Amino acid sequence: MNDINNQTIQYQDKSIQYLLKALQRDKLPHALLFTGIEGVGKLIAALQFSMVCNCENLPDVSLIHSSCGECRSCLKFLSGQHPDIIKIKPDGNAVKISQIRMLRKQLTYKPVEAKNRFVIIMQAHLMTTESANALLKILEEPPPRTRFILIVENQKDVLQTISSRCQQVRFRPLSDIFIEAYVMQNEDIKPEFARMIARLSFGSVIRAGLYQKIKWQTKRSYIFFRLKQFDRLSIGMRLSFAEQLAKNKDDIPLILEMIMTWFRDVLIYRFCPQRIINIDYQNSIYENAKKYACQSVIEQIEKVQTVQKDLLSNMNRRLAFEELTMSMIQQKL
Ligand SMILES: [Zn+2]
């Protein structure tokens, strides 16, 4: 396991200790719901935990890292070939019913060799209603020696009938200091850039990784370039801005989050400038904070939230962005 994974697991010690204690007392629930934003170590913890639960060399189960890494079980695990560690991830954009049917079939057999068979469902919020109901049936009559770990951001991301059958284990966002140190491991990065990334990542190493990529730095520069002079944009420019933003479906959540941080910063600058996220745009944020009334910035934030909701309900994304950019801040102080 690499350093960052190790450090993340250490950071999540409280959640890990809960699991290890339950295991030692032989009280491990058969279904667990790991919750927390992406990039805080939920999957790594699930994998490490299933490894230590199955190590054949009697590891010290009060320590998550005590699996030997050499026994038959550990070796199969490390090569990703363990027949009793079943990982299910979305096929395309959903965990489909065919995947859960196949799982159900697999679970009719006893575990091949493991003391504890694990079924890890990644992004479990992407289960279709059909899949979720099929999984619920399995959870209602769990097969022997089998544990389920469902990974989601929030408890409410799965049906209540499912979450009520799972013990929730919360994973907290990583601290800014943690992310900053992680980003600084790359020697080419300047401390102020690392600090900005840490604030922008909201405690997620996945986001910290994305924001270090040129693609996202370029996107961010473009978006902020437009936002800082928004009152001067013509209708044509607003429409083309909307078109750019809507271009790639997968990028939209992060784009909206960036836009949100911008308005958040403009709003809080006049109260506590030291708390802004986009510290490298401090001057432009200051200029905007002087220009706009608090109320219009708050309305703007609400509009971005509306787009976030609209897009979840599959509204046409270009239209949603056009609506947003056409109605954006015009009202000056
Ligand atoms: Zn082992």
Side-chain angles (χ1 to χ4, degrees):
M1 220 174 37
N2 63 29
D3 274 358
I4 181 64
N5 289 346
N6 269 324
Q7 290 159 10
T8 313
I9 290 284
Q10 268 170 27
Y11 190 88
Q12 301 295 2
D13 190 50
K14 212 172 144 198
S15 318
I16 303 290
Q17 282 307 318
Y18 164 79
L19 294 170
L20 295 173
K21 290 219 168 81
L23 179 68
Q24 289 161 50
R25 292 186 193 132
D26 207 15
K27 293 235 161 85
L28 190 65
H30 77 268
L32 296 156
L33 187 67
F34 283 13
T35 59
I37 58 163
E38 60 162 12
V40 295
K42 301 186 296 297
L43 179 60
I44 306 294
L47 294 172
Q48 274 294 304
F49 184 61
S50 36
M51 186 165 162
V52 78
C53 283
N54 284 302
C55 175
E56 290 163 4
N57 279 334
L58 302 176
D60 172 359
V61 286
S62 64
L63 300 167
I64 188 91
H65 292 307
S66 60
S67 47
C68 71
E70 292 169 356
C71 69
R72 203 171 46 135
S73 168
C74 284
L75 287 176
K76 280 192 182 169
F77 189 97
L78 290 169
S79 66
Q81 306 285 327
H82 202 302
D84 296 317
I85 310 293
I86 305 167
K87 285 177 268 180
I88 296 184
K89 58 178 174 195
D91 174 8
N93 54 10
V95 176
K96 295 179 178 150
I97 181 70
S98 54
Q99 294 175 276
I100 304 295
R101 280 197 190 122
M102 204 192 293
L103 171 71
R104 192 170 56 197
K105 196 166 168 211
Q106 209 172 345
L107 295 181
T108 55
Y109 303 102
K110 282 185 188 156
V112 181
E113 54 193 63
K115 285 182 275 186
N116 293 285
R117 172 165 58 190
F118 276 88
V119 177
I120 301 170
I121 305 186
M122 298 176 238
Q123 295 182 276
H125 63 287
L126 292 178
M127 281 190 289
T128 61
T129 314
E130 240 185 332
S131 308
N133 284 323
L135 180 72
L136 182 62
K137 288 217 173 70
I138 302 177
L139 294 180
E140 281 167 352
E141 287 176 52
R145 285 161 51 205
T146 304
R147 319 276 176 195
F148 295 82
I149 300 180
L150 277 61
I151 299 182
V152 286
E153 293 211 353
N154 297 298
Q155 187 175 24
K156 62 175 173 48
D157 290 344
V158 287
L159 293 180
Q160 200 267 334
T161 40
I162 289 189
S163 66
S164 66
R165 292 189 175 270
C166 300
Q167 175 66 51
Q168 186 183 5
V169 183
R170 291 188 182 86
F171 288 74
R172 57 192 176 129
L174 306 167
S175 67
D176 282 5
I177 294 171
F178 183 102
I179 303 266
E180 211 174 309
Y182 160 63
V183 175
M184 285 298 288
Q185 284 169 8
N186 180 343
E187 285 168 6
D188 298 331
I189 285 192
K190 292 193 180 113
E192 54 276 25
F193 184 68
R195 195 151 57 96
M196 183 276 292
I197 288 191
R199 289 189 183 189
L200 203 53
S201 303
F202 297 107
S204 156
V205 280
I206 292 182
R207 284 193 202 145
L210 286 176
Y211 284 126
Q212 285 178 74
K213 294 209 160 80
I214 295 289
K215 169 187 154 175
W216 279 101
Q217 287 176 38
T218 315
K219 256 189 211 304
R220 182 168 172 267
S221 309
Y222 167 71
I223 292 169
F224 288 179
F225 173 69
R226 286 289 183 229
L227 288 179
K228 72 184 181 188
Q229 44 160 10
F230 213 83
D231 52 328
R232 275 178 272 150
L233 293 189
S234 65
I235 289 183
M237 282 160 114
R238 285 170 187 242
L239 289 175
S240 90
F241 184 42
E243 190 184 345
Q244 287 299 321
L245 297 180
K247 224 174 202 172
N248 192 335
K249 187 170 176 254
D250 295 339
D251 292 348
I252 288 176
L254 211 55
I255 286 177
L256 285 170
E257 203 172 281
M258 272 198 277
I259 297 178
M260 193 67 113
T261 65
W262 175 269
F263 289 115
R264 172 209 175 267
D265 283 353
V266 172
L267 183 64
I268 69 162
Y269 190 89
R270 67 191 85 198
F271 307 110
C272 27
Q274 72 282 9
R275 297 277 301 275
I276 63 165
I277 292 170
N278 299 292
I279 39 187
D280 50 342
Y281 280 85
Q282 192 165 349
N283 291 341
S284 310
I285 286 163
Y286 168 64
E287 290 302 323
N288 271 263
K290 275 196 307 188
K291 237 193 276 186
Y292 303 113
C294 276
Q295 189 51 38
S296 65
V297 183
I298 292 170
E299 280 165 16
Q300 205 51 61
I301 290 174
E302 286 165 358
K303 279 176 195 154
V304 181
Q305 285 169 335
T306 308
V307 177
Q308 283 172 325
K309 277 188 211 129
D310 285 350
L311 291 172
L312 278 180
S313 60
N314 277 332
M315 184 180 169
N316 179 310
R317 55 182 199 267
R318 171 105 176 253
L319 279 182
F321 275 113
E322 280 182 2
E323 214 171 294
L324 178 71
T325 58
M326 294 303 277
S327 67
M328 257 184 192
I329 289 184
Q330 315 218 11
Q331 180 191 346
K332 293 190 183 173
L333 268 179

